Amino acid sequence: MTQYNNYINGEWIASPHASKNINPSDITDIVGEYAQADASQVNDAVAAAKAAQPLWGQSTPQQRFDILDFVGTEILTRKEELGRLLSREEGKTLSEGIGEVTRAGNIFKFFAGEALRVGGEHISSVRPGIEIDTMREPLGIVGLITPWNFPMAIPAWKIAPALAFGNAVLHKPAELAPACSWALAEIISRSGLPKGVFNLVMGKGSIVGNAIVNHRDVAGVSFTGSVEVGRTLAATLAKRLARVQLEMGGKNPLVVLDDTDLTVAVNAAVNGAFFSTGQRCTASSRLVVTDGIHDRFVQAMIERMSKLKVDDALAPGTDIGPVIDEAQLEKDLAYIDLAKKEGGKLVQGGERVKRGKNGWYLSPALFTETTNTMRFNCEEAFGPLAGIIRVKDYDEALAVTNDTELGLCAGVCTTSLKHAVHFKRNAQAGMVMVNLPTAGVDYHVPFGGRKGSSYGTREQGAYAKEFYTVVKTCYVFS
Ligand code: UN1
């Protein structure tokens, strides 16, 4: 079986241990064995980053552009092959996998351009003879810790801006899906980036993640993952006053109003709740539906869901791939049981299903008769599960939308301009969607949430520089 190593100081380095990366569509298929770094290898990577960062921080915008553009071009050229790898290790369908790889390629291209657009301001002083300039400098060494559910796009949207703004990187991908990050590192290793600027350290959060977060030379950590881990990480980093950026959970509402176009609403709900097997922090897991359309909406959802094909991520025609692993499948099933105990009515799916291959298959589950206070509607399951919350009118729908500890994305399906605009203004979320699923975002605009969903500055788009740079204000008297 092929062994994949860490990338430290421009070299491929084995670790004392390795872990098997298993295809969730067919658990007899092992994608490869991936090195599991220990704390001393993290220290080596930090030392390499520390030696390399000052020179990289002084590289020209053109050098950074060329390197990021090279990476973006290669990702896009190989999107079918890399998309297949992604779907094989993570379980989203091949079209979703290729779509995600395309997004990653475009992100590198976007940040290649951003490297050319790093500027500052010239501001007149309040005192005579003095000129003031602000400029942006790299933050330094950054730790980038990414989840398994977007194994290519999330590493891309952290690594690309980190490099574009002159930082050195330690990247730790999720233990469950390191193959895409390894492929990305392999491309970066041929991009002309000086050794030590980018380091891949794979392995466990408790070892590698911990060592990164606690290393005094790491100036900032950008993390996407669970709320619990995020909270601990923020506390640790705050103690040594390091910068932190967290993208965590969601319990995203999709409001369906009486006046909606039913086809639009069903498309948005099915995509938002169940595509990518519901394993997105942006998933539409709370479907908030007004009285007048409730029964028709439920009926249309059941009809549409009964036609969804749950199967091997790589098989043609699959709509929903498997759940990532056994533990996640058990968690999903436990939430299904919980919803039943809390009084929800399972109207479609929610069963473990057998396919030709031995994988972690679950049919998407839809519950009716749920309320917003049920644990099922408060906690993120991270699976293909959704609960319908029946409300009497728009005002109640908005109240339910905002009655949550999370606030990543909120959506509304309506043909009313008045409601759409009111919702856009009053939904307490980092992102608002009208007549669209809550999941599925553009690559060139800010991404992030409010309340318990996100912490720190926004990721992506022109806002990404807020995390990856520090501002210097210079006064000159002449
Ligand atoms: C999307 O919905 O297009 O982990 C992106 C997640 C998010 C990314 C969602 N950070 O699911």
Side-chain angles (χ1 to χ4, degrees):
M1 187 182 309
T2 318
Q3 184 96 25
Y4 296 91
N5 290 333
N6 295 304
Y7 185 65
I8 299 170
N9 202 20
E11 282 174 43
W12 296 99
I13 311 278
S15 291
H17 300 287
S19 79
K20 289 190 172 69
N21 180 358
I22 296 165
N23 176 352
S25 297
D26 173 6
I27 60 173
T28 61
D29 174 34
I30 312 294
V31 181
E33 278 203 7
Y34 289 78
Q36 297 232 303
D38 56 20
S40 78
Q41 292 183 313
V42 173
N43 291 342
D44 293 347
V46 176
K50 197 172 177 179
Q53 195 278 323
L55 257 188
W56 176 244
Q58 287 160 26
S59 58
T60 64
Q62 188 65 49
Q63 284 169 313
R64 297 181 198 174
F65 175 92
D66 289 344
I67 286 166
L68 292 169
D69 191 58
F70 170 93
V71 176
T73 301
E74 178 154 339
I75 292 172
L76 292 174
T77 311
R78 291 170 55 196
K79 67 178 187 212
E80 308 273 336
E81 170 214 339
L82 293 170
R84 185 165 282 275
L85 175 70
L86 195 165
S87 297
R88 187 174 161 215
E89 79 163 340
E90 199 272 347
K92 62 182 69 171
T93 66
L94 186 55
S95 65
E96 290 173 330
I98 294 171
E100 184 181 332
V101 169
T102 306
R103 188 198 291 201
N106 287 331
I107 287 168
F108 272 93
K109 295 264 180 187
F110 174 82
F111 283 106
E114 283 296 277
L116 300 175
R117 289 188 283 267
V118 185
E121 276 181 300
H122 180 82
I123 304 165
S124 306
S125 172
V126 291
R127 292 172 283 162
I130 295 178
E131 306 214 322
I132 306 174
D133 289 290
T134 62
M135 54 200 246
R136 286 181 183 269
E137 294 184 349
L139 180 59
I141 302 173
V142 292
L144 309 179
I145 303 178
T146 57
W148 49 261
N149 67 328
F150 281 86
M152 191 59 109
I154 296 182
W157 79 53
K158 295 187 195 294
I159 295 166
L163 297 178
F165 300 118
N167 299 279
V169 170
L170 264 79
H171 169 42
K172 190 203 100 61
E175 221 188 323
L176 281 174
C180 287
S181 285
W182 190 92
L184 194 51
E186 197 279 324
I187 296 172
I188 293 172
S189 76
R190 290 183 282 102
S191 67
L193 190 71
K195 71 178 177 116
V197 175
F198 173 82
N199 302 276
L200 175 74
V201 274
M202 299 179 285
K204 292 189 188 307
S206 58
I207 296 172
V208 179
N210 215 34
I212 292 174
V213 169
N214 284 295
H215 201 298
R216 52 192 277 249
D217 291 333
V218 174
V221 171
S222 178
F223 165 85
T224 300
S226 72
V227 178
E228 304 80 65
V229 175
R231 276 183 202 278
T232 324
L233 213 138
T236 309
L237 289 155
K239 221 172 259 173
R240 61 181 177 86
L241 304 180
R243 202 175 270 190
V244 59
Q245 178 180 58
L246 308 175
E247 285 302 339
M248 302 170 286
K251 200 67 201 170
N252 310 290
L254 180 69
V255 171
V256 176
L257 296 179
D258 285 356
D259 63 25
T260 190
D261 175 328
L262 195 58
T263 311
V264 168
V266 170
N267 283 341
V270 168
N271 175 327
F274 308 125
F275 283 11
S276 298
T277 322
Q279 298 175 146
R280 299 188 277 193
C281 58
T282 44
S284 317
S285 49
R286 292 188 297 144
L287 304 174
V288 185
V289 185
T290 46
D291 260 339
I293 196 167
H294 178 275
D295 295 354
R296 278 185 293 136
F297 177 73
V298 171
Q299 203 45 47
M301 284 293 285
I302 292 172
E303 269 164 37
R304 179 71 191 282
M305 286 173 69
S306 62
K307 293 192 194 111
L308 291 174
K309 196 172 157 221
V310 181
D311 208 336
D312 188 324
L314 294 173
T318 296
D319 296 303
I320 313 281
V323 171
I324 185 76
D325 71 352
E326 187 174 17
Q328 182 62 50
L329 180 66
E330 267 160 20
K331 189 175 169 194
D332 294 347
L333 291 169
Y335 271 108
I336 290 169
D337 278 348
L338 174 70
K340 287 179 187 162
K341 284 199 191 95
E342 289 184 304
K345 187 172 156 207
L346 182 63
V347 291
Q348 178 66 35
E351 274 158 18
R352 190 162 178 200
V353 285
K354 288 251 170 281
R355 291 295 174 252
K357 294 194 176 120
N358 194 2
W360 310 118
Y361 300 106
L362 176 69
S363 56
L366 183 69
F367 281 88
T368 57
E369 287 160 54
T370 76
T371 64
N372 199 46
T373 51
M374 288 179 180
R375 261 182 64 206
F376 179 73
N377 281 327
C378 297
E379 297 170 15
E380 185 182 44
F382 222 61
L385 324 174
I388 294 186
I389 302 166
R390 186 178 190 141
V391 291
K392 63 175 185 309
D393 55 16
Y394 170 76
D395 290 341
E396 191 184 348
L398 181 64
V400 167
T401 291
N402 292 335
D403 185 13
T404 162
E405 287 174 9
L406 301 169
L408 186 57
C409 190
V412 64
C413 294
T414 181
T415 50
S416 149
L417 180 65
K418 185 172 152 233
H419 286 142
V421 171
H422 191 272
F423 189 84
K424 201 172 91 171
R425 288 189 185 144
N426 294 287
Q428 292 162 9
M431 297 175 289
V432 171
M433 304 282 182
V434 177
N435 295 323
L436 288 166
T438 53
V441 297
D442 279 15
Y443 65 86
H444 65 308
V445 292
F447 178 95
R450 294 188 189 177
K451 302 197 246 181
S453 288
S454 302
Y455 187 74
T457 54
R458 288 280 182 265
E459 294 198 83
Q460 300 197 61
Y463 285 75
K465 67 165 94 64
E466 300 305 330
F467 180 75
Y468 293 101
T469 63
V470 282
V471 172
K472 185 182 266 178
T473 311
C474 306
Y475 294 74
V476 177
F477 176 63
S478 62

